[in-house]
């Protein structure tokens, strides 16, 4: 048994330490928001947070995160920055097919938690590994800028 601190709760999972975190989250713990994309850590659809930092869950073995906090898109509604990012996504109608959006939102939230006023270059760097097959990159950047503006206004 491995204890995984997932979305603020301890989960006892009967898995091996080399199981990819993605499958432990989806198939064993039952959180379906994190998506499988490429299985090689290249597309970003499976992005989660490990102690607040974005990571690709498809290539991260569960054994490597023991004792760390793992957060998924399924619980982002309880994070104040995550709420702002999700609202900006809705306000700017970012999603088309929506498949990549969980990973995009997780990357954007991680950025804005560490840098609430990122430059355009910093935004691009934060989401460069997240592929959107629909090509909504301009709307993604717009949503991140909108969320950044909202966060700055709420702390002023």
């Amino acid at each position: 048994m491995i204890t995984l601190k997932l979305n603020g709760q301890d989960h006892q999972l009967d898995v091996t330490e080399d199981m990819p975190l993605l499958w432990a989250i989806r198939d064993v713990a039952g959180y379906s928001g994190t998506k499988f994309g490429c299985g090689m850590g290249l597309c970003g659809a499976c992005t989660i947070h490990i102690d607040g930092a974005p990571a690709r869950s498809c290539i991260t073995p569960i054994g490597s995160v023991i004792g760390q906090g793992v957060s998924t898109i399924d619980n982002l509604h309880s994070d104040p920055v995550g709420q702002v990012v999700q609202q900006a996504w809705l306000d700017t109608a970012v999603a088309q097919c929506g498949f990549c959006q969980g990973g995009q939102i997780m990357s954007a939230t991680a950025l804005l938690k560490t840098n609430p006023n990122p430059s355009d270059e910093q935004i691009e760097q934060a989401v460069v590994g997240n592929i959107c097959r629909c090509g909504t990159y301009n709307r993604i950047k717009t949503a991140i800028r909108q969320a950044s503006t909202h966060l700055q206004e709420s702390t002023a």
Side-chain angles (χ1 to χ4, degrees):
M1 288 295 230
I2 292 178
T3 301
L4 177 64
K5 187 171 183 80
L6 179 61
N7 293 330
Q9 298 178 357
D10 285 342
H11 293 265
Q12 296 294 319
L13 306 178
D14 188 11
V15 299
T16 61
E17 289 191 10
D18 63 343
M19 177 183 240
L21 190 53
L22 172 66
W23 302 121
I25 290 168
R26 287 185 60 82
D27 294 348
V28 182
Y31 291 89
S32 61
T34 305
K35 303 298 183 205
F36 173 80
C38 67
M40 298 182 289
L42 302 172
C43 74
C46 69
T47 302
I48 47 102
H49 294 167
I50 300 172
D51 283 343
R56 305 297 193 248
S57 62
C58 71
I59 58 170
T60 304
I62 191 171
S64 71
V65 300
I66 294 172
Q68 298 178 70
V70 176
S71 301
T72 70
I73 190 79
D74 302 281
N75 198 47
L76 203 60
H77 65 277
S78 66
D79 180 297
V81 175
Q83 291 172 5
V84 170
V85 172
Q86 288 177 319
Q87 188 59 54
W89 243 251
L90 293 171
D91 292 346
T92 57
V94 171
Q96 279 187 348
C97 84
F99 195 81
C100 71
Q101 296 307 307
Q104 300 276 5
I105 289 169
M106 293 300 283
S107 291
T109 300
L111 168 66
L112 293 175
K113 287 180 89 144
T114 59
N115 182 359
N117 188 19
S119 67
D120 287 344
E121 286 181 26
Q122 290 168 323
I123 290 171
E124 289 175 18
Q125 185 62 35
V127 297
V128 72
N130 293 80
I131 296 172
C132 176
R133 291 182 178 115
C134 299
T136 63
Y137 298 111
N138 288 333
R139 285 186 284 190
I140 289 166
K141 290 176 197 172
T142 298
I144 294 171
R145 283 188 208 103
Q146 178 180 317
S148 172
T149 299
H150 180 80
L151 289 169
Q152 291 171 56
E153 290 171 352
S154 67
T155 59

